[in-house]
Amino acid sequence: MTDASAAPLRGGAVGSVTATLAVAAHGIAGGGYPQGSALALLIVISIGVGAMTAVPRRSTVLLPALMGGQLLAHIALSLSDMSGMVHDHSLLPSAAMIAFHAAASVVAALLIAAAERLYGPITSIVRAVLALLTPLPDGSAVGRVRFSVAMPSVHGIDMDWAISRRGPPVSRY
């Protein structure tokens, strides 16, 4: 497996974990589901964090990206709640919240890294099984493709090499 082949999957996983973990933590803290501008900002943050980690050869930024995404998502959801004061939620996270987000980010980083390492072996097994199930071509299709369409000729000279540039008629005023 090359790192480039799993990079988009890594980015998608990091982005979706960032959003899912932020919504779950926000809901557990009593904030409910994000709506409106908070949801839009959370989606933008998740896409940005995911895109940052979807670059090939950037698996070293996995844990910092997850933790930074959690911090940005927390700030975005906290700012959106300050207008309505839905629940008692500080802009700066508490020590317990930081610990839970850090632990969840470490677990998520380990799971994403394990999935990235297993991507190559799993896809090679799937390709091998599909190759057994898919019949191989019998070899009769090898060669030049023949057309059964009549080719134009001008004054007895075959024009099968010519490419027609004729299009619809042009209207003149």
Side-chain angles (χ1 to χ4, degrees):
M1 174 198 75
T2 62
D3 191 41
S5 63
L9 297 174
R10 178 188 338 116
V14 169
S16 59
V17 164
T18 298
T20 304
L21 191 57
V23 169
H26 193 69
I28 289 172
Y33 296 110
Q35 296 176 352
S37 62
L39 183 62
L41 190 56
L42 182 63
I43 290 171
V44 168
I45 289 170
S46 299
I47 289 172
V49 171
M52 184 180 71
T53 57
V55 179
R57 306 278 182 223
R58 295 292 298 249
S59 60
T60 57
V61 298
L62 190 60
L63 185 60
L66 281 167
M67 288 185 171
Q70 289 304 303
L71 179 64
L72 290 174
H74 172 80
I75 291 172
L77 294 175
S78 296
L79 285 176
S80 67
D81 280 347
M82 289 186 144
S83 61
M85 291 296 183
V86 174
H87 65 285
D88 188 26
H89 203 72
S90 172
L91 182 62
L92 296 174
S94 66
M97 186 177 290
I98 290 173
F100 284 127
H101 276 290
S105 296
V106 168
V107 170
L110 290 173
L111 289 174
I112 292 170
E116 188 176 357
R117 286 195 178 268
L118 291 174
Y119 174 76
I122 288 173
T123 55
S124 65
I125 291 170
V126 169
R127 285 187 192 126
V129 168
L130 290 178
L132 292 174
L133 298 176
T134 307
L136 296 175
D138 60 358
S140 64
V142 178
R144 186 176 169 159
V145 177
R146 306 238 184 247
F147 292 101
S148 63
V149 178
M151 296 301 216
S153 64
V154 176
H155 304 292
I157 301 171
D158 288 331
M159 302 292 286
D160 61 349
W161 53 271
I163 298 173
S164 174
R165 301 269 194 266
R166 185 171 189 280
V170 177
S171 64
R172 296 194 178 167
Y173 297 101

